[in-house]
Amino acid sequence: MTLRARLILEWLVIALFATAMVVALQYYRSVERMDLLIYDFAMEWQGTEPSGDIIIVKIDEDSLQEFGGWPWTRDTYVPVLDNVSKAGAAAIALDVLFTEDTGTTEQNQALADALSRNARTILPLQLQGPGLNGRLFDQLQPVEPLASAASALGHVNLDADSDTVIRRLNLCVNDGTENIPYLIVETLARKTGKTARELTGDDCEKPRALPFIPQSAFQTTSFAQVANGQIPPDFFKNKMVLIGATAAGLGDQHRTPAVNGALAPGIVVMANALEALIQQNFITDMPLANTIILSLIPLWILLIILWRARPRTVIIVAIALLFIIIFTSIALLQLQIWFPPTAALLSIALVYPLWGWRRLQATSDYMGRELNRMDAGAVPVPPIDNRRAPADIVTEQAERLSMAISKLRDMRRFVTDTLEHLPDPMLVTDQEGIVVMGNHVAEEMLGVIEENMGVKDLLAGVARKQDFATLTQYLAIAMNMEPDSEAAPDAEYCIFKSRNERHFAVRCAPILSDQDEILGHILYFADITTIRLANQQREEVLKLLSHDMRSPQAAILALIDRSEREKDPLTRSSDIAERIRKQARRTLSLADNFVDMARMKAQKFEPEDILFADLVAEAGEALWPQSSARSITITINDDSETAFIAGERSSLSRAFINLFDNAVKYSPDGSNITATIDQIELDRERIIRCTIDDEGNGINKNILPRLFGEFASTHDQADHGPSGVGLGLHYVKTVIERHAGEIHAKNRKEGGARFVTLLPALDDEDIALD
């Protein structure tokens, strides 16, 4: 199994194990104690403010000192109820159990009369289970006549969590026959005029967590002060008054998260429940399915990061996820939603070291196996120095790996130096054809080799367009061929011409691994420019000798044979002699053009300042004997404003002589040839334009696309017309392009041919003055 395959398997096992662990911990509430600790910590961040509708009347130490020991006689509560009722309290909850008949009849009746006068006082009842006759529990109600005189009854039982802390309560309890509301539900019902069911809804039995508010945040007063009439009458107006014991010795103390696990009186718990019911901000537990999903999200984020990121990044992400989980739990609690985070925290804390251990083990096993294979290979790694101090297995493998890498680095340097000192360009690509290495000769030919650049993209800017398709086809076949495939390119190499007129033969060969898998390819470029030019010149000489230079010589021989057969001495002496001279001139012209073209290819361009109009005029004058013999007029129109060009006078003069000679040759007797010279602006550069028009039959449309090629005829050749020079216009094009110019030819609408040359003009400051 490869290292990648083993790590994938290890990752999957860890991912499935961690996912199952999170699901089990949340489903079975296995870490509830830790969740409750985090819950209590988060409760410190709760910012709930009391509504101000609740007043707590405390049965505190001062009240006990004034009214005697506990329990008090029941008529003790009468002045407090009367004073609170007269002050306009909306409801009174007296959190004192009267389930035992301990008082006298007069005392009970006095309290019952006070309850009847108030008509807004709710008394508590106690639930005791299991109940009789199959009931879940029995109701221990206040004794008569107190139960009948009370406005309503409500239970005051509290259920602690597994750690004995009060965090939740039930707004009602069902004993199997009816719903018994909590005391504060009936209290709020007296103020709002709603029923208990309207206040709690249909799910009143569902436990609800309280957003605890400390006792100090509520309005409080002492029982003794109220009984003695020391509280202003408006203090209780339209308030809900909760009367209950707060003195520590009375036993009604409970642990709550609001005070860091310290004891809080039951009346304070009741006040918190009433406040939550008023503001409807009970904290609800997140549904189990949502809790599991939210717990798995950070786990799977870490699992993905473990597989894709570096160890340093992983530890940062793991720590960040721990803080994010805690922050999310606290933030959701502010929104009255409780998300228990411990399972998610444990999964992060467990998965990171577990993956580190398994990855280290898998890497160690793989590294040891590969190093052993390398030691047994053809190029052995030097053995470990036995004089080193003993080390653990991982350190020992790291040292062996370091020596193996050093050996490979030396081998790489050897290969790199070998490639670098090759005289021809060479590239190394990967399996996808991306260039990964190239010697300096390749960079000189191909330019800078950018990162992730494909070999085809690199060659696209070097090879000529007409050769690029053949080159890419060869590379596609050579680079996609399997090692044992019988398919092969049509040739072992491909020849192409670069845009700078160099010829190269490229050969592609695969780079194979020890398992005969293709790792990449080597492309070797052999510069065959000298060979190609030699072959090309040989072909040109053969074409010249076998075509145009042979033709006039054959014509001379034919004329001589004819002269021997002519009986008229005048014909032999004049007409035939003139024809012989004409064919001889053609031979000399072809030879001069050929020699001049060869000279231009071999010599460096060395221009001089030339007055262009004079050069054209001199070329026209050179054709005066031929033109005047046929009554053809050559007219030069100079609108160039004495413009100069930088050029070689001899080659330019011969080029324009060829143009005028071509115009005279294909013009009818008595016609006009017009050469117009002017200046134009092209791409913000001054250009000298020379337009030569004749009145001949025009250029054959079949010849026009290849007019300036070698051995192409110009005009329509009839049997009676002149034959094409073949090399003349190709020479003209070569000269014009050597001078960074252009030449174009077309047929005129009014008849005849038009040749247009464009040459860059010299600026006035660039002209050399004698």
Side-chain angles (χ1 to χ4, degrees), residues 361-582:
Q361 183 64 48
T363 304
S364 176
D365 294 343
Y366 177 80
M367 188 165 56
R369 184 171 62 253
E370 291 301 313
L371 286 173
N372 290 334
R373 290 181 59 189
M374 183 175 292
D375 289 341
V379 184
V381 178
I384 298 177
D385 190 351
N386 294 326
R387 292 173 296 176
R388 297 187 179 185
D392 62 276
I393 184 65
V394 176
T395 303
E396 182 179 338
Q397 289 174 341
E399 292 174 348
R400 291 180 62 194
L401 179 62
S402 175
M403 286 185 286
I405 293 175
S406 177
K407 184 70 174 180
L408 292 177
R409 190 181 297 114
D410 293 340
M411 294 175 61
R412 178 183 175 86
R413 178 65 181 271
F414 172 78
V415 173
T416 303
D417 290 346
T418 301
L419 292 177
E420 189 66 23
H421 290 88
L422 288 174
D424 291 317
M426 176 171 285
L427 297 176
V428 179
T429 72
D430 61 10
Q431 296 172 329
E432 305 298 327
I434 303 300
V435 179
V436 296
M437 187 185 301
N439 57 7
H440 73 281
V441 184
E443 291 187 354
E444 292 176 358
M445 181 188 84
L446 305 174
V448 178
I449 302 175
E450 299 179 358
E451 187 177 0
N452 296 326
M453 176 176 284
V455 65
K456 295 181 181 179
D457 296 332
L458 190 62
L459 294 176
V462 177
R464 295 189 308 172
K465 292 182 178 180
Q466 53 267 44
D467 294 343
F468 185 66
T470 303
L471 179 59
T472 54
Q473 182 179 5
Y474 166 78
L475 293 178
I477 297 174
M479 299 181 73
N480 294 327
M481 187 174 60
E482 297 295 333
D484 56 350
S485 174
E486 296 181 358
D490 295 337
E492 294 183 359
Y493 56 88
C494 178
I495 297 177
F496 71 95
K497 188 176 182 181
S498 66
R499 297 189 179 186
N500 60 354
E501 303 299 321
R502 306 292 295 177
H503 295 267
F504 292 92
V506 57
R507 181 172 183 176
C508 180
I511 303 174
L512 302 179
S513 68
D514 56 350
Q515 289 85 22
D516 289 334
E517 297 177 352
I518 294 180
L519 302 178
H521 294 84
I522 296 179
L523 279 74
Y524 185 81
F525 298 82
D527 191 342
I528 59 172
T529 304
T530 304
I531 299 174
R532 296 289 289 186
L533 289 178
N535 291 337
Q536 183 178 351
Q537 291 177 358
R538 182 176 62 85
E539 293 295 329
E540 290 176 355
V541 171
L542 291 177
K543 287 181 180 179
L544 180 66
L545 295 176
S546 64
H547 190 268
D548 282 358
M549 293 192 70
R550 184 177 180 278
S551 178
Q553 300 300 328
I556 292 174
L557 293 176
L559 289 173
I560 293 175
D561 293 340
R562 180 181 173 184
S563 66
E564 292 177 352
R565 294 193 302 268
E566 289 287 345
K567 297 180 179 180
D568 187 357
L570 181 61
T571 301
R572 289 196 303 269
S573 60
S574 61
D575 183 52
I576 294 178
E578 179 61 27
R579 294 187 181 184
I580 292 174
R581 283 193 295 272
K582 181 177 180 181

Side-chain angles (χ1 to χ4, degrees), residues 748-759:
R748 302 167 59 207
K749 293 182 180 179
E750 57 271 24
R754 169 171 292 176
F755 288 83
V756 180
T757 60
L758 303 174
L759 292 168

Side-chain angles (χ1 to χ4, degrees), residues 32-46 161-168 209-210 212 255-262 283 329-330 333-334 338-339 341-342:
E32 185 178 25
R33 287 293 185 95
M34 182 63 69
D35 287 329
L36 293 177
L37 289 176
I38 297 175
Y39 177 89
D40 294 346
F41 170 78
M43 287 299 299
E44 298 294 329
W45 299 86
Q46 283 288 93
D161 287 329
S162 58
D163 57 353
T164 71
V165 177
I166 301 296
R167 299 182 179 88
R168 298 172 177 83
L210 302 177
F212 274 94
R255 293 180 61 198
T256 63
V259 288
N260 298 320
I283 298 172
S329 181
I330 295 175
L333 194 61
Q334 302 299 314
W338 169 234
F339 161 64
T342 304

